[in-house]
Amino acid sequence: MSAAQEQPQGHRLQGLGSATAPGTVIALAGALVLAYLTHVFVVWYRLSHVPGPFLAALSKYWMVKQSLKGRQPTAIKEANDKYGSLVRIGPNELVTDDPDVLRRMMAVRSPYTRGPWYDAMRFDPARDNLLSTRDDVAHTNMRAKMAAGYSGKENESMESTIEAQIAKLIELIETKYLSTAQQYRPMDLAQKCQYFTLDVISHLAFGAPFGYLVQDDDVYDYIKMTAAVIPAMLVLANVPTLANVLQSRLFRGLLPKASDKVGFGAFIGVANKVVAERFEPDAASRPDMLGSFIRHGLTQPEASGEALLQVIAGSDTSASTIRLVMLHLLGNPAAYRKLQAEIDKSIAAGAISSPIKDVEAREMPYLQAVIKEGLRIKPPASGAFFKTVPAGGDVIDGKFIPAGTQIGSSPFGIHHSKKVFGEDAGLFRPERWLEADADSFALMTSTVDLVFHYGKFQCLGKTVAFMEFNKIFVELLRRFDFALVNIEKPAEISNAGIWIIENFFVRVTRREV
């Protein structure tokens, strides 16, 4: 056969290849789409017996969207109200509003473990801290080394340290922010509350305050930076894979680092420097939290991570509660006056010192009611805190939940429960704590205690937080009167797992008693 005769056949083969190439691509694309749809169906079907928003079962878009809008706790509560106690809010994520389920999950011997959600809680991407550690054994060992420092057993000056910072806050108000008939000096109470808690925790942690109250300034631009960084971290917690990618060596350079001069990174640098000094060969052991941690065996890298966690977790959550209690008191004049009346009566009876002692504050029933109501009305750490269902699965709300499923909490569903707190559970009303019978009071108390988590995951900073709360409101309200500057919008509030509260301006005057 000649070349001329073979050529048409070659052309025919090339034409056949050209004709089949698009068909192959289409078939491949179809196979990929089918595989993806099969995967989506399998993921959906696995937890399809648990009700919830339909789109939430298909992707994490619902969770991320609500987080970005600053209303995830509210949206989860709305889902509980619509679908029931156990709700599906993600492909592998459920939330519960049942306090008993949460206590069982967090019990000391519970087989539940922290889920990937906690990976985003690494404040320093180079190391884990007590909050981000997911391994149960490592977490338990670290807690044991730190418990004495947080309890005050090895830090006898804890109470006087808090009192010293309250005195500095009072001095700041008296010198710069007291208004009179002749002078108007509005004060951003949201800002000053965080200055106070930052100086308290830095003094307790490192033996000296960072100086926010003395300078009346955002040292290292910490507040400005955390207002951006912490919400971003908690949004990423909804998609742990992204958090892990961002914390990888490839992208770690984009995150705050110890060499930064301001912001979050500067705090990492300060914590590392202070801790390094404590590990010098000739360094003396000190009676503060860091000294206790070192004496109980924390290594230098562990101590650096915990020092940073103390400042971030210990200042933001406590500041949020102080702000929110004051905001609700100022929006409820009857409660405000009742608390002041209890303070005045206690002073007249010689029942409280100046400054008030922690043990004295515990005997003031209305003060304790106000604190508990403040913790309940907007829980300070209001993320989902997902835990992993152990091998063998579990039965929750009458439904079998397979192993590996992530179960989180519904903070508003728990703390605004009408079954626990009454029909007006959405209102700030401290009187409910004084009106309750013994059984109802015990139920409400055990539920509010979940603000600090429970069992093997209970917050070690609970003692410090309550000591701050027991003192700060009495010392402020015995001296000053506070009034909202902007009645229509007293403050700017959003939620990103913690409460972001800004521009809470008040007029402060000296009380005439």
Side-chain angles (χ1 to χ4, degrees), residues 398-413:
K399 304 172 181 69
F400 176 75
I401 308 302
T405 305
Q406 301 300 299
I407 309 283
S409 64
S410 172
F412 280 172

Side-chain angles (χ1 to χ4, degrees), residues 13 18 20 40 184 257 275 285 289 334 380 451 500 505:
L13 291 173
S18 299
T20 57
V40 170
Y184 172 49
K257 48 191 176 296
V275 170
S285 181
M289 284 186 174
V451 165
I500 307 297
F505 283 94

